[in-house]
Amino acid sequence: MLYKSIILAVDLTDESIKVANKAVALCNAFSAELHVVHVIESLNYAYGGDVPIDITDIQNQLRQTAEDKMSLLLDQLDTPNKNYQITQGGIESEIHRIAEEKHADLIVVGSHCKHGLALLLGSTSNGVLHGSPCDVLAVKVNDPNKEK
């Protein structure tokens, strides 16, 4: 199966470049178009509804920080076919929506090693996998055994 449209979903942490490099390698191998996506989880969404203060300034600061970090990440990627999108909402649902919109064949996400309660509750990469309109590749970004 050939991949022609690949979504790279990043959290814009320092580990994003490792995930991005895997996505770029796949794009180069398949001559695919890369769509880099970052979702800012809406504070209203994160806290389950109404927030009793005006959060416009906070959301604007989050977006500006994301734009700055996205620019730095894109500068490091070695592929001519890259687009990016920063959106706001539920992380998994926005990634699914964009994958459908872009007719993606593959979503690439980072997978953090989780332990205890975080493992039981799931992760973003697990949430992206369930309900995805296409294949999902979870790239392991840290190994707790190597950190010991």
Side-chain angles (χ1 to χ4, degrees), residues 1 13 23 26 38 49 52-53 67-68 75 78 93 104 116 130 140:
M1 172 183 259
T13 61
L26 288 166
H38 174 71
I53 59 171
E67 291 278 353
D68 294 344
D75 286 346
D78 185 26
S93 60
H130 296 289
K140 191 174 182 179

Side-chain angles (χ1 to χ4, degrees), residues 61-80:
Q61 287 176 334
L62 290 172
R63 182 174 258 314
Q64 186 58 54
T65 299
E67 291 278 353
D68 294 344
K69 288 183 175 184
M70 180 68 81
S71 179
L72 291 173
L73 178 66
L74 292 174
D75 286 346
Q76 297 176 63
L77 301 183
D78 185 26
T79 183

